[in-house]
Amino acid sequence: MKKTLENIKKLLTFLVKDDFKYYDRVKEPDRALLIMLQKIKPYLSGKRLAFIEKAEMFLKNYDRFPEEKRKRLLKELHSVFVLKFSYKEIERELSKRKSEKLVSSFVSEFHESSEKYPLKAFLQPPETIKGLGKQSVSRLRKLGLDTILDVLFYVPFRYEDRTSITPMNLLRDGETVLVKGKVAGVVETNTRKGKKLLKVVLYDRHGKVTLLFLRPRVFGFYKKLFSRAKELGREVVAYGKVKRRGLSFTIIHPEVEIFEENKKSYSKVGVVLPVYHLAEGLKQNLVRKDVSFVVKKALPRFPEYLPDEVVDKRNLPEISRALWEVHFPSSSVEELEEFRAPCQRRLIYDEFFLFQTALALVRRRIKDEKGISFPVSEEMLDEFKKHLPFSLTGAQDRVLREIFEDMKSDRPMNRLIQGDVGSGKTVVAAGAAYLAVKSGYQVAVMAPTEILANQHFKKFKEFFSRFGIPVGLLTGSMTPKARATSLKAVKTGYFGVVIGTHALIQEKVSFKNLGLVIIDEQHRFGVKQRAELKNKGNRPDILVMTATPIPRTLALTAYGDLDVSVIDEMPRGRKPVKTKIVFDDEMEKVVAFLKKELSAGNRAYIVYPLVEESEKMELKAATDMFHFWSGKLKGFSVGLLHGRMKQHEKDSVMEKFKSGEFQVLVSTTVVEVGVDVPEATVMVIEHAERFGLAQLHQLRGRVGRSSRQSYCFLITRRTVGEDAIRRLKVLEATTDGFKVAEADLAFRGPGELMGTRQSGIGEFKIADLRRDFDVLKMAREDAFELVNRNPELTGLDDLKEYIKYRFKGNEEFIEIA
Ligand code: ADP
Ligand code: MG
């Protein structure tokens, strides 16, 4: 800690020295600082701790700050560290904390009736527990367990069954077993090479086994143990890995114990043992010893943080009891391995409950805020609909009405529109934008790719020009001059609607009066980015659109802080896309089919996955593919689109495909989201097996956008394997995005579906969204009910404390704490 503290000061001093002369020499100072801050944090409390937490927040967002701001904040960090972080003082405070009676009086046996301490007491470092050795402390640190609470919740990842005894006639080479038998003999001998050896033979009714000890230092101990057992005629249990030598079996260095019926205390054999994740250089035995020491001392004092009603209603074991069981299990290994043991169910419930409570609090806080009350009217709504080239579907109409009500109210809107690809989300967004602009506010529309931003720009521009409302564009690839003009038009309020990419959330962009933020294809944006855009206005309303077929089940956690509207109806006259798996040796059939469709005036996409992430490979793959298809489709015009092209090149290719100049578009997955060319009726996907189901569904969604029949061909190899074919068959069988998503979930698991982009807050340690969905539903219901009833969580200090601890470092949630 002393060293780390010095290093922090050194680094900061170097950075600010001579007016940041060496600033550019340090790569990613934010990372280095963050790591070091983590290290000293457990030793701090009070103001210093609060300061470190603030500093962490700054460092985590370091990349987003402009340089002047970084320097300003680094300077501040530097001066505070030099002034307030003296090692001596910190040490003095620490020793004061250590001696608090609270901790030294931890007991070491489990009594449910023990007097409980506040949860806060468990946020101290493990070394505050009396009797925990220095080495134990450093081992726990190595595992990242900085507080007592961390240790208590360091749940084993599996269990070792040392309860069922293997009869000695059933021993097999290489198996790890527990045997029980009487001692036949104990001898000390030499190996042929002259090494010393202690040999013990055990026998049961079925056979015998030899135990070998090779380290002379332990001979005395074992000789005594086995001789005593032999004299008394007592049985011995031994645990270890069996080796076969000819016809006999041996176990080298087993763990042994004299068997006692009804023995209660914790021992190494005859029990189910927890197995913990290790860090480099650590041994399971020692970690088990350390964890169990802390658990025994601290757990009996650990308070129940859930409200009594919840514990009673769901019939949950008390938390201290549950954790005890997790570390010292009495359940069967089968039950534990399937996560059915009551103690595990309780921990799973808690993970969901904490998360959902935090969400409920965030949501409540947002709802309590005063937002804009737009002066919208029925007439505006009618006016908008009158100008559309088609009439809205029932679902679109319903969702637009929900948005209308949200905007009218003075609560800020936080609404997610979920609708399958092609269900017509854009026009609903345009409706919301219309209402906002007519009410005198600006609207920002953010899209995940430039292609999509351009597409929206054109659509919105065309539509809004009828009303004389200027629509602007702001993307990263604009020339500085065009950009400056756009920025100005945003600032003066000339643009009623601004469409853009990430560029929209940059610091330089400021609005005159931003009232509504629309985010398309939300799964591409994190929670944080949403928050940033929000901060550009005075609590603007937020509308998020997604076609990510995150199943409803997952949406509960992924979008827990949003109200959800679902467009569950396709525009009239849409025909489901006919989908077919085709093997690559039948490609000529596809070519013939394509020719027929193209001759009839339709357009086609041909998409293939990136084989390799490198630039060269991508370029080569793209051009090869392009030549291949141009050759096959002589007489038709073929365009090429890939990620390495310049933005204006991409735009012009897209434009030509839209206008029909190109009839075929050979492309990488840049067309995956949002692209809308209704004349396209054929989607050919090469190497379909390399895509995820959700992605394939998105790609397929590029066709079937008119009343014409559309087709999708999933090209793959015959040798691709059963699993892959089974996956692709899902797409043949359904065009319903939610069904595809459910299947995807079953194939891949929720972690991957939500992706790392989902900000990580939905990650659970032992809960599994698929396996434990029933628990999630209960926990969500309970959490929302609790927050409704008791929004301040009055009388639930431990719960509050725990939520704070669990979500530290997460800005969205930290605010509520
Ligand atoms: P997505 O929900 O995938 O974003 P879009 O908003 O791009 O879908 O709409 C898909 C296509 O359907 C667009 O060409 C759009 O003009 C058209 N569309 C949307 N709503 C209707 C409707 N009610 N009737 C007919 N066509 C519609
Ligand atoms: Mg869309």
Side-chain angles (χ1 to χ4, degrees):
M1 134 91 171
K2 192 171 179 184
K3 192 103 200 251
T4 312
L5 199 59
E6 275 166 15
N7 285 337
I8 294 174
K9 288 184 191 172
K10 257 193 223 153
L11 177 57
L12 285 169
T13 311
F14 184 71
L15 282 166
V16 304
K17 202 166 148 188
D18 297 339
D19 199 20
F20 291 97
K21 190 168 162 197
Y22 306 102
Y23 173 81
D24 290 329
R25 293 246 199 105
V26 186
K27 257 204 196 134
E28 306 192 347
D30 49 327
R31 283 228 197 144
L33 283 168
L34 264 176
I35 291 170
M36 292 195 284
L37 292 189
Q38 287 292 342
K39 279 193 191 154
I40 60 165
K41 219 168 131 185
Y43 299 94
L44 305 174
S45 61
K47 278 189 189 154
R48 284 200 198 91
L49 185 60
F51 177 76
I52 295 295
E53 273 164 2
K54 255 187 21 211
E56 280 178 344
M57 215 78 102
F58 152 58
L59 291 167
K60 277 182 189 153
N61 291 302
Y62 193 79
D63 285 341
R64 291 215 210 91
F65 294 129
E67 197 171 296
E68 322 98 68
K69 189 159 178 193
R70 287 184 195 174
K71 286 184 176 169
R72 187 151 35 80
L73 289 166
L74 282 175
K75 209 157 192 168
E76 190 184 324
L77 265 187
H78 175 251
S79 60
V80 175
F81 258 94
V82 171
L83 286 175
K84 306 270 183 203
F85 281 74
S86 118
Y87 174 65
K88 278 226 170 88
E89 256 176 67
I90 293 174
E91 199 184 34
R92 215 175 303 134
E93 265 182 36
L94 197 65
S95 67
K96 234 192 321 185
R97 261 201 291 157
K98 259 188 203 166
S99 61
E100 277 175 45
K101 172 173 159 278
L102 210 61
V103 176
S104 54
S105 65
F106 278 130
V107 291
S108 64
E109 242 170 87
F110 191 73
H111 301 294
E112 225 130 276
S113 57
S114 299
E115 185 204 333
K116 306 293 185 194
Y117 293 150
L119 192 131
K120 222 179 174 144
F122 298 82
L123 297 178
Q124 309 195 55
E127 55 265 42
T128 50
I129 290 183
K130 232 187 191 165
L132 189 70
K134 267 214 172 104
Q135 298 201 329
S136 299
V137 171
S138 83
R139 278 193 292 265
L140 293 174
R141 266 286 125 69
K142 247 190 170 167
L143 292 168
L145 307 175
D146 295 329
T147 66
I148 300 173
L149 195 69
D150 287 340
V151 182
L152 297 183
F153 280 85
Y154 196 57
V155 174
F157 77 100
R158 84 184 165 82
Y159 292 90
E160 219 166 80
D161 190 355
R162 300 191 181 182
T163 57
S164 38
I165 290 159
T166 306
M168 293 186 197
N169 60 339
L170 295 182
L171 298 179
R172 290 218 175 14
D173 189 43
E175 271 180 23
T176 303
V177 297
L178 184 70
V179 292
K180 184 170 84 169
K182 288 196 172 161
V183 180
V186 185
V187 282
E188 215 185 299
T189 62
N190 289 314
T191 62
R192 252 171 279 152
K193 284 181 188 160
K195 274 201 179 146
K196 287 200 168 175
L197 197 66
L198 181 70
K199 208 164 153 183
V200 180
V201 177
L202 287 190
Y203 67 97
D204 67 5
R205 279 189 294 147
H206 309 281
K208 61 179 185 171
V209 64
T210 307
L211 312 181
L212 288 184
F213 299 88
L214 309 174
R215 274 180 249 123
R217 264 204 297 150
V218 300
F219 287 1
F221 172 81
Y222 284 111
K223 264 202 249 173
K224 217 153 126 195
L225 185 145
F226 287 110
S227 310
R228 213 178 109 228
K230 192 171 181 212
E231 271 163 36
L232 299 173
R234 298 273 293 277
E235 283 172 308
V236 169
V237 272
Y239 181 84
K241 195 169 167 181
V242 175
K243 258 199 173 157
R244 188 192 174 121
R245 289 191 177 174
L247 285 180
S248 70
F249 291 97
T250 58
I251 303 178
I252 298 171
H253 280 288
E255 295 182 53
V256 294
E257 215 166 282
I258 295 184
F259 180 71
E260 278 173 57
E261 210 80 56
N262 302 324
K263 189 170 164 181
K264 277 215 189 78
S265 79
Y266 184 70
S267 62
K268 282 193 225 157
V269 288
V271 291
V272 174
L273 274 190
V275 183
Y276 299 97
H277 278 300
L278 299 176
E280 214 189 309
L282 295 186
K283 286 214 170 75
Q284 186 62 239
N285 266 345
L286 294 176
V287 167
R288 195 181 282 146
K289 190 191 88 188
D290 300 335
V291 172
S292 94
F293 185 87
V294 174
V295 167
K296 278 182 182 170
K297 289 269 187 193
L299 198 53
R301 300 293 197 198
F302 193 65
E304 180 55 76
Y305 50 76
L306 284 188
D308 294 342
E309 313 89 72
V310 171
V311 175
D312 290 345
K313 180 176 169 198
R314 300 300 180 188
N315 204 5
L316 300 169
E318 233 206 286
I319 186 62
S320 50
R321 166 56 70 190
L323 283 171
W324 190 273
E325 279 287 319
V326 160
H327 292 287
F328 308 121
S330 62
S331 310
S332 75
V333 167
E334 292 86 65
E335 210 182 18
L336 289 163
E337 266 166 9
E338 286 166 24
F339 290 87
R340 283 187 290 114
C343 57
Q344 293 168 314
R345 302 305 286 173
R346 159 81 208 234
L347 296 189
I348 291 167
Y349 178 92
D350 284 19
E351 275 198 308
F352 287 140
F353 183 84
L354 286 179
F355 182 66
Q356 293 294 336
T357 305
L359 283 178
L361 288 169
V362 170
R363 192 150 139 166
R364 174 144 193 127
R365 194 203 53 209
I366 295 170
K367 286 205 163 162
D368 280 348
E369 283 173 358
K370 275 254 188 300
I372 302 164
S373 171
F374 293 84
V376 291
S377 65
E378 294 289 337
E379 289 74 48
M380 283 186 198
L381 213 52
D382 292 341
E383 186 69 16
F384 168 74
K385 289 189 214 167
K386 218 172 65 194
H387 281 89
L388 291 175
F390 43 69
S391 55
L392 293 180
T393 63
Q396 285 171 324
D397 207 36
R398 189 190 68 236
V399 173
L400 188 55
R401 164 74 45 188
E402 283 166 349
I403 293 168
F404 178 83
E405 296 298 338
D406 276 357
M407 290 178 68
K408 209 159 92 181
S409 108
D410 64 358
R411 298 265 156 82
M413 167 165 75
N414 272 279
R415 188 166 287 281
L416 171 76
I417 306 182
Q418 218 175 17
D420 211 340
V421 278
S423 63
K425 295 183 288 292
T426 317
V427 65
V428 175
Y434 179 81
L435 293 174
V437 176
K438 279 285 159 184
S439 305
Y441 288 92
Q442 282 178 295
V443 179
V445 182
M446 188 153 79
T449 64
E450 296 219 358
I451 289 185
L452 205 51
N454 274 317
Q455 178 182 298
H456 282 331
F457 174 61
K458 280 175 197 124
K459 275 197 187 172
F460 275 70
K461 194 169 165 171
E462 186 193 304
F463 182 76
F464 282 96
S465 67
R466 268 173 244 165
F467 307 99
I469 298 169
V471 175
L473 181 70
L474 198 64
T475 61
S477 70
M478 290 168 91
T479 61
K481 210 171 138 199
R483 202 178 141 73
T485 317
S486 263
L487 279 173
K488 205 164 155 211
V490 175
K491 195 167 178 181
T492 58
Y494 173 72
F495 285 153
V497 181
V498 194
I499 322 264
T501 51
H502 284 83
L504 266 183
I505 53 174
Q506 281 172 6
E507 202 154 320
K508 286 196 194 103
V509 186
S510 71
F511 291 81
K512 182 161 179 243
N513 59 344
L514 180 61
L516 173 67
V517 173
I518 298 172
I519 302 174
D520 195 14
E521 304 298 349
Q522 133 79 14
H523 61 296
R524 297 278 166 134
F525 285 110
V527 178
K528 273 187 204 156
Q529 286 157 314
R530 247 198 280 150
E532 263 167 82
L533 194 43
K534 195 169 89 179
N535 292 335
K536 297 226 164 268
N538 188 20
R539 304 223 167 98
D541 278 8
I542 294 186
L543 190 63
V544 172
M545 304 191 282
T546 184
T548 315
I550 283 190
R552 263 159 268 240
T553 58
L554 273 186
L556 280 190
T557 60
Y559 304 123
D561 58 332
L562 300 168
D563 294 313
V564 180
S565 296
V566 183
I567 304 184
D568 50 6
E569 185 185 345
M570 288 288 171
R572 262 173 299 279
R574 293 285 158 81
K575 301 185 181 78
V577 180
K578 286 190 179 159
T579 306
K580 201 168 169 358
I581 300 171
V582 179
F583 294 110
D584 51 7
D585 55 16
E586 304 166 324
M587 199 64 119
E588 287 309 318
K589 282 194 208 161
V590 176
V591 174
F593 187 88
L594 271 170
K595 284 183 176 162
K596 207 179 77 202
E597 279 289 306
L598 296 172
S599 303
N602 295 325
R603 274 166 242 167
Y605 295 96
I606 296 166
V607 175
Y608 60 95
L610 296 181
V611 188
E612 198 129 336
E613 293 279 340
S614 93
E615 237 167 274
K616 260 199 192 149
M617 289 297 291
E618 180 173 348
L619 217 73
K620 184 169 175 334
T623 20
D624 282 357
M625 205 46 78
F626 176 68
H627 288 312
F628 174 83
W629 282 104
S630 302
K632 288 279 177 200
L633 299 171
K634 281 224 172 74
F636 300 99
S637 58
V638 182
L640 172 66
L641 187 68
H642 61 78
R644 301 294 168 198
M645 288 161 74
K646 294 244 168 61
Q647 191 56 45
H648 70 267
E649 294 172 332
K650 282 189 207 162
D651 291 342
S652 112
V653 170
M654 244 4 260
E655 210 40 62
K656 286 182 179 159
F657 185 56
K658 262 184 200 172
S659 68
E661 196 175 318
F662 287 142
Q663 293 156 286
V664 182
L665 188 65
V666 173
S667 168
T668 58
T669 48
V670 279
V671 297
E672 180 193 341
V673 282
V675 170
D676 185 39
V677 181
E679 293 80 6
T681 60
V682 190
M683 166 64 70
V684 179
I685 305 173
E686 298 227 48
H687 296 289
E689 76 281 355
R690 294 195 194 152
F691 293 96
L693 281 185
Q695 212 183 354
L696 289 170
H697 180 70
Q698 271 284 350
L699 285 170
R700 178 170 63 178
R702 295 313 111 216
V703 296
R705 297 184 151 247
S706 69
S707 54
R708 282 179 250 189
Q709 178 62 53
S710 291
Y711 305 86
C712 175
F713 298 103
L714 306 169
I715 316 284
T716 188
R717 289 168 287 127
R718 275 184 203 281
T719 50
V720 74
E722 252 172 68
D723 275 1
I725 296 293
R726 218 175 324 126
R727 252 170 15 98
L728 296 179
K729 282 214 157 123
V730 172
L731 288 168
E732 271 188 345
T734 183
T735 51
D736 179 336
F738 285 114
K739 287 200 183 127
V740 173
E742 297 283 356
D744 206 15
L745 187 61
F747 281 117
R748 296 197 299 163
E752 252 185 275
L753 247 195
M754 311 233 310
T756 40
R757 293 199 199 95
Q758 273 306 332
S759 80
I761 47 176
E763 274 167 30
F764 301 105
K765 267 194 280 187
I766 68 166
D768 175 329
L769 286 165
R770 240 184 320 167
R771 184 190 62 209
D772 306 319
F773 185 63
D774 54 328
V775 186
L776 169 63
K777 275 196 295 206
M778 284 193 272
R780 179 175 170 85
E781 191 184 301
D782 298 346
F784 275 74
E785 199 201 53
L786 171 70
V787 172
N788 245 336
R789 193 163 23 92
N790 181 359
E792 302 293 322
L793 302 185
T794 312
L796 297 169
D797 289 347
D798 288 330
L799 181 62
K800 272 197 256 184
E801 201 64 53
Y802 193 28
I803 291 176
K804 223 160 55 176
Y805 156 85
R806 174 74 173 75
F807 297 108
K808 67 184 164 200
N810 192 292
E811 293 107 286
E812 282 270 303
F813 288 158
I814 254 252
E815 281 177 47
I816 54 167

